[in-house]
Amino acid sequence: MTDEERKERNRERQARHLSNPVNLEKKRARCREYARRNKERQSKAHQLRRKTVDGRLTITYNSMTSRVNGKCTKNPEYYIGKSVCSKEEFVNWSKNDPSFIRLFEAWLESGQQFSMSPSIDRIDSDKGYDIGNMQWLTVSENGRKGAENSTRWE
């Protein structure tokens, strides 16, 4: 069995496991507890790094890969097993995307308001985090887009 076959088998196994509502709720509880503890541990240097372009892109990329790997996501069935571009591709694409630069600067000017934070959006939710399927929005714009497509969550 190749590494790719093994990874695919593990993704399928995890998706079946998380399709059970009890397992899904346990996963969500662990994620909430992890987030609470992690926030307490964040150092001042880490807080400052989050306000840099490289820091914001690293956080966003790590969140993307966590969702796809089934770690700490509200609706894992919509993310697990999707493709993700390489970090290098993602960072290069983002740094050359005028909408990211504009959103990042507006976020800093707002005093880092959460609703103004740059957020990655998959244009087609059935596809993964590939360069041709992503766009930058603010958190609030991305939330409104999700609300408009709320039938997906029913």
Side-chain angles (χ1 to χ4, degrees):
M1 180 179 291
T2 67
D3 283 343
E4 283 303 313
E5 290 171 332
R6 191 174 299 112
K7 286 178 185 178
E8 181 61 28
R9 190 180 75 198
N10 287 338
R11 283 187 200 115
E12 290 170 0
R13 188 178 298 147
Q14 189 167 22
R16 280 193 311 273
H17 176 74
L18 291 175
S19 66
N20 178 332
V22 173
N23 294 336
L24 185 57
E25 186 50 40
K26 287 179 183 177
K27 176 80 169 175
R28 288 178 179 159
R30 283 194 308 271
C31 288
R32 285 189 297 269
E33 176 61 20
Y34 172 80
R36 185 191 62 75
R37 282 195 321 259
N38 195 40
K39 190 172 185 177
E40 292 170 358
R41 285 188 291 221
Q42 289 178 345
S43 68
K44 200 170 205 172
H46 177 77
Q47 292 294 339
L48 292 174
R49 177 160 168 68
R50 293 178 65 179
K51 298 175 186 172
T52 66
V53 168
D54 287 334
R56 174 62 34 197
L57 293 176
T58 297
I59 289 166
T60 302
Y61 187 81
N62 290 344
S63 295
M64 291 164 32
T65 55
S66 289
R67 284 186 211 105
V68 168
N69 292 326
K71 298 176 184 173
C72 295
T73 186
K74 293 179 183 174
N75 298 88
E77 62 274 15
Y78 296 111
Y79 299 98
I80 291 178
K82 302 283 191 226
S83 59
V84 180
C85 62
S86 72
K87 184 174 181 181
E88 183 180 352
E89 281 181 300
F90 176 72
V91 168
N92 288 336
W93 170 75
S94 297
K95 286 182 174 180
N96 291 304
D97 184 349
S99 63
F100 171 73
I101 304 301
R102 179 181 47 80
L103 291 170
F104 184 80
E105 289 172 355
W107 174 67
L108 288 178
E109 289 172 13
S110 76
Q112 296 87 42
Q113 285 183 353
F114 178 73
S115 63
M116 296 290 293
S117 180
S119 174
I120 201 71
D121 172 59
R122 290 179 298 149
I123 297 166
D124 181 348
S125 298
D126 293 330
K127 296 180 181 176
Y129 291 100
D130 299 311
I131 297 301
N133 191 45
M134 293 185 295
Q135 63 183 346
W136 284 101
L137 303 173
T138 64
V139 166
S140 59
E141 289 170 333
N142 208 351
R144 280 194 300 275
K145 183 182 175 208
E148 290 169 5
N149 299 326
S150 63
T151 56
R152 175 181 140 180
W153 307 103
E154 294 174 352

